[in-house]
Amino acid sequence: MRKVLVIHGPNLNLLGEREPNVYGSVTLAEIDKALQELAGKSDVELRTVQSNHEGEIVETIQNSRHWADVIIINPAAYTHTSVAIRDALSAISVPTIEVHLSNIHAREGFRQASHVSPVAVGVIAGFGKNSYLLALQAAATISLPDKKENKK
Ligand code: DQA
């Protein structure tokens, strides 16, 4: 069974009440529930975590390296600022999919650059809750590095 870790970055715990005109009315709990339902149908074991702290996200990434086959991450504001999160992802050989609820390329200039995209397998942005569900579909089907395919 493929193991997928979903990491939600800062302020995503406030989804539902935070700028609903940008991020919609869906809550993080609703996103996680939808992800768990899809994981159940896709032969995926799913863990989801949310953190407002950069170092904690770095440690979560490091600690997942022997467990996760794929990481899905919405680094939120750290997308645009964190070399540490990018370096953590590039330090481990776990394919990563970057996700955003909003289309960051259609927003303010400072949101249009991502430190994470160059170390990601792919990026999905602009589809709200469905960005995560599309990412999970990709995570369930992308080819994995040999080492991971052989993992028990
Ligand atoms: C976001 C986009 C980021 O620019 C922003 O800082 C977020 C959420 C998104 O999912 O659209 O917090 O990652």
Side-chain angles (χ1 to χ4, degrees):
M1 188 182 260
R2 202 170 269 211
K3 297 182 175 73
V4 177
L5 173 68
V6 178
I7 302 173
H8 305 287
N11 300 305
L12 295 174
N13 54 311
L14 295 183
L15 283 178
E17 54 180 280
R18 174 193 182 203
E19 299 181 83
N21 53 317
V22 178
Y23 299 114
S25 56
V26 70
T27 65
L28 193 62
E30 287 164 351
I31 290 174
D32 284 348
K33 184 165 178 274
L35 283 168
Q36 286 293 355
E37 281 167 9
L38 181 59
K41 296 178 196 151
S42 312
D43 199 32
V44 164
E45 184 180 342
L46 187 80
R47 288 183 191 166
T48 63
V49 294
Q50 189 276 329
S51 176
N52 293 321
H53 305 280
E54 184 176 20
E56 203 168 82
I57 294 171
V58 167
E59 283 172 1
T60 298
I61 291 165
Q62 291 182 6
N63 293 337
S64 76
R65 69 191 189 279
H66 300 306
W67 181 82
D69 293 306
V70 182
I71 293 174
I72 294 170
I73 184 166
N74 182 348
Y78 290 140
T79 307
H80 320 296
T81 62
S82 181
V83 177
I85 289 174
R86 172 209 170 109
D87 282 356
L89 291 167
S90 101
I92 64 171
S93 54
V94 179
T96 298
I97 301 169
E98 178 184 346
V99 162
H100 299 282
L101 295 146
S102 64
N103 177 0
I104 56 173
H105 303 289
R107 298 184 63 193
E108 303 97 317
F110 70 87
R111 293 188 203 277
Q112 293 174 23
S114 168
H115 287 299
V116 172
S117 299
V119 297
V121 176
V123 183
I124 300 170
F127 301 101
K129 178 177 88 173
N130 282 336
S131 291
Y132 284 96
L133 297 174
L134 291 164
L136 183 55
Q137 285 178 42
T141 51
I142 56 171
S143 57
L144 301 176
D146 284 349
K147 191 163 65 93
K148 297 287 176 181
E149 291 287 8
N150 296 333
K151 210 164 82 166
K152 298 236 165 57

